[in-house]
Amino acid sequence: MIYFLILILMSFSFNQKQLADGVLSVVGKYVVLVSDVLEETNMLAQQKQISPEKNPYLYDKVFNNVLENQINTLVVLNFAEKDSSLTPSFDEIKKVLDERVAFYVSRFGSVDALENALGMPLFEFKEKNIDVVEKELWVEKFKMKNFNDVLVTK
């Protein structure tokens, strides 16, 4: 019995030392994970040449903006998914992915440089981002359908 208690206590101590991932927010059926926000934050910080070590305040600001944007997007996505007429086609998703890759290749200078920055080959990047792009298109279609005629005035 004592060995069992020691084993349990040791497992808790190991769990406290490492954080594999965590939930930052839950929006409907979607979860915003620390790893997802950090991944996007790191990419934006790299593009804007913001070093977390040299300028932690700016990095933290980017992190909070990414988190807020992801939450807001998921709120809209929850409403968009209720309208089946907004479902993006595979061709639309593929087109956006191809355009995104072309943009990143032009920013990084070459496919090899982009793959090195991503830490993965382009086909893996595309596979990983199919769901992301589908959600973005769903949100975009929802906004166009419901807010296209809205004018903001002072």
Side-chain angles (χ1 to χ4, degrees), residues 95-105 125 132-133 136:
K95 180 182 175 199
V96 169
L97 276 172
D98 291 342
E99 289 170 355
R100 192 164 293 173
V101 166
F103 171 76
Y104 287 137
V105 167
F125 173 78
V132 172
V133 170
E136 288 173 359

Side-chain angles (χ1 to χ4, degrees), residues 17-124:
K17 291 181 183 178
Q18 294 181 359
L19 176 64
D21 208 349
V23 175
L24 290 172
S25 178
V26 177
V27 181
K29 66 181 181 180
Y30 296 104
V31 176
V32 179
L33 298 175
V34 172
S35 60
D36 293 338
V37 176
L38 277 176
E39 183 179 340
E40 188 175 339
T41 300
N42 288 334
M43 191 163 215
L44 285 172
Q46 185 179 20
Q47 287 175 1
K48 296 179 180 184
Q49 298 177 342
I50 298 170
S51 168
E53 293 83 22
K54 293 179 182 176
N55 203 335
Y57 175 75
L58 270 179
Y59 185 84
D60 191 45
K61 198 172 179 179
V62 172
F63 180 90
N64 289 331
N65 285 339
V66 168
L67 175 60
E68 185 177 330
N69 286 338
Q70 286 191 11
I71 291 170
N72 289 340
T73 300
L74 291 176
V75 168
V76 175
L77 179 61
N78 274 307
F79 287 102
E81 289 179 329
K82 295 176 183 175
D83 186 346
S84 62
S85 70
L86 301 176
T87 305
S89 70
F90 177 75
D91 290 338
E92 290 173 309
I93 296 167
K94 185 181 179 317
K95 180 182 175 199
V96 169
L97 276 172
D98 291 342
E99 289 170 355
R100 192 164 293 173
V101 166
F103 171 76
Y104 287 137
V105 167
S106 71
R107 296 278 283 171
F108 284 90
S110 70
V111 172
D112 289 336
L114 175 59
E115 288 178 337
N116 287 335
L118 293 171
M120 66 182 84
L122 285 182
F123 77 87
E124 191 176 324

Side-chain angles (χ1 to χ4, degrees), residues 4-19:
F4 181 69
L5 290 174
I6 292 172
L7 184 62
I8 290 175
L9 290 174
M10 286 178 59
S11 69
F12 281 121
S13 66
F14 288 121
N15 287 340
Q16 291 175 355
K17 291 181 183 178
Q18 294 181 359
L19 176 64

